[in-house]
Amino acid sequence: MPLNIDLQQILLHWMNLAILTGGLYLLLYKPVKDFMTKREEHYRQLDEQAAEKLAQAERVQAEYQARLDGADEEIHQARARAQQAIQQSTEDQLAKAREQARQIVAHAQTEAEHSRERVLRESQRELRKLAAQATKKLAFHVDPFDQFLDLAEEGEEYEE
Amino acid sequence: MKQHKKALVLWIGAVLLLLIGALLAGFHGRTESVQQAMRDAVLHDVNQISLLGLKAVNPGLISAFLVTGLILLAAALIRVLVIPRFQYIPGKFQLALEEAVGLFHGMAQNSSPHRYGFVGAYIFAAGAYIFFGTLFELLGLQGITIHGHPVTLPAPLSDVNAAIALGTLSYLVILSGGIAANGAKGVGKTLKEFSLPISMSFRLFGALLSGLLVTELVYYYVNLSFVLPVIVGVMFTLLHALIQTYVLTMLVSMYYGEVSEPSHKAKS
């Protein structure tokens, strides 16, 4: 044949190429490709795990944020309640103080009234006594001058 | 600094020793003219090698078997010694292996997204064969012809039979993709590209042969055998290895993707 083309040698080359293709596929191509696929799968799993952990962390963060927001509200409410209680207590104390003051004033007024009445009664009694004595003396004709002197003496004693 | 000087002296000593050895070995005359050497590089009809005493074959076939053997041996050693120790964070060698496999796998996946398992494995093997087969000629391994003369084993694909085998096998792989994906319609799609096996075969053959011829020419004359082979080696071997690997694998994956694309029925 032209160019020394030989069908038998071509077939031998085919056989050689078939052996090479099969051998290289089994010895090199497939094992390396399998390893690359395995590594890709490994890193894909790692990526998924990382994404899952990130999502979980975000969920926990959101949960704690919600709790934190709740705590703020709770603190706000507690503060409002405390202020209300203080206000109530102050008002109670004030009312009590006012009541006590009113009672003290009333008591003082009562005491003053009683004192005034007692003094008045004693003055009236003294006046009646004096009037009785004067009447008695007038009735028994006593010298008015002596009587006056006697009364004056008695008055000084009384003042002392 | 002392170590550098020592290494330089050793290197110069080795070069001189080799030069003296070459001169002492003497020149026994040419067994063939440059015309004959170039013709034989193309046709391989004179300097044939016996295949286990069964048949006289082109040196390219012996090279092909050797390349396959070496690649499979290296692959077996890597499979046994390296792959079981693979880490999730790869070292340099592991990274290089993964890059090589990933390159062909990605090429197959991008060019033929509907069906890429088999073509990925095929272009990986074909790529390795072309690349290491082309670099193989740099080793300068010798074979003995049936006439008893030593001959340097060439790159397998500089043999037209090897190039035709790879081109036609690639075409059959593309055809198999068409049949697997679209049945008879896939066969039709593949047969439309009837010139593909010839173009792929002779592109490979032409590219590799041009490198071989230049190398033959350079080595035929002693005067050209200094410094120039380094440039020729890089230009016609390393670059061919890379370019032809890329071209063939890319073509196979593209045509495979084209014929294995599921056909959509026109909506009435």
Side-chain angles (χ1 to χ4, degrees), chain A residues 9-11 13-14 17, chain B residues 122-123 126-127 129-130 156-176 190 193-206 208 244 247-249 251-253 255:
Chain A
Q9 288 191 46
I10 291 174
L11 288 173
H13 277 292
W14 272 17
L17 285 168
Chain B
Y122 175 73
I123 61 172
Y129 181 67
I130 298 169
L157 291 166
S158 65
D159 177 3
V160 71
N161 293 319
I164 289 171
L166 189 57
T168 49
L169 189 63
S170 299
Y171 185 72
L172 286 178
V173 167
I174 293 166
L175 182 69
S176 73
T190 316
E193 308 289 345
F194 64 89
S195 64
L196 200 60
I198 301 166
S199 69
M200 282 200 294
S201 304
F202 285 93
R203 181 185 293 111
L204 270 175
F205 179 56
L208 272 294
Q244 293 311 316
V247 170
L248 185 116
T249 53
L251 281 176
V252 171
S253 59
Y255 279 109

Side-chain angles (χ1 to χ4, degrees), chain B residues 42-183:
Chain B
V42 178
L43 298 176
H44 300 291
D45 57 350
V46 178
N47 291 327
Q48 292 199 318
I49 296 176
S50 174
L51 178 67
L52 306 172
L54 299 172
K55 180 182 164 63
V57 294
N58 297 349
L61 184 61
I62 305 298
S63 300
F65 287 148
L66 276 175
V67 168
T68 297
L70 289 173
I71 291 175
L72 288 181
L73 180 68
L77 287 173
I78 290 168
R79 178 69 187 89
V80 174
L81 299 174
V82 180
I83 291 176
R85 294 189 176 85
F86 268 12
Q87 303 289 323
Y88 281 146
I89 298 167
K92 283 176 187 172
F93 187 62
Q94 183 186 339
L95 196 63
L97 279 177
E98 286 182 11
E99 277 295 318
V101 171
L103 175 76
F104 291 107
H105 177 71
M107 190 187 281
Q109 199 172 10
N110 290 334
S111 304
S112 175
H114 305 288
R115 185 180 288 270
Y116 55 85
F118 173 63
V119 75
Y122 175 73
I123 61 172
F124 178 70
Y129 181 67
I130 298 169
F131 184 76
F132 291 111
T134 308
L135 293 184
F136 175 77
E137 72 178 16
L138 289 178
L139 294 178
L141 295 182
Q142 301 285 305
I144 305 296
T145 66
I146 49 175
H147 306 297
H149 302 138
V151 62
T152 306
L153 291 176
L157 291 166
S158 65
D159 177 3
V160 71
N161 293 319
I164 289 171
L166 189 57
T168 49
L169 189 63
S170 299
Y171 185 72
L172 286 178
V173 167
I174 293 166
L175 182 69
S176 73
I179 292 169
N182 294 316

Side-chain angles (χ1 to χ4, degrees), chain B residues 8 11 17 21 28 41 48 67 80 87 91 93 173 178 219 246 260 262:
Chain B
L8 189 68
W11 177 63
L17 203 65
H28 301 293
Q48 292 199 318
V67 168
V80 174
Q87 303 289 323
F93 187 62
V173 167
Y219 282 108
Y246 179 74
S260 66

Side-chain angles (χ1 to χ4, degrees), chain B residues 4-41:
Chain B
H4 284 263
K5 276 184 183 172
K6 203 172 176 181
L8 189 68
V9 169
L10 274 174
W11 177 63
I12 292 169
V15 170
L16 288 172
L17 203 65
L18 288 170
L19 182 64
I20 292 162
L23 291 172
L24 287 176
F27 183 68
H28 301 293
R30 300 280 180 194
T31 55
E32 57 188 3
S33 67
V34 67
Q35 286 85 359
Q36 281 174 326
M38 300 293 265
R39 185 177 183 281
D40 192 55

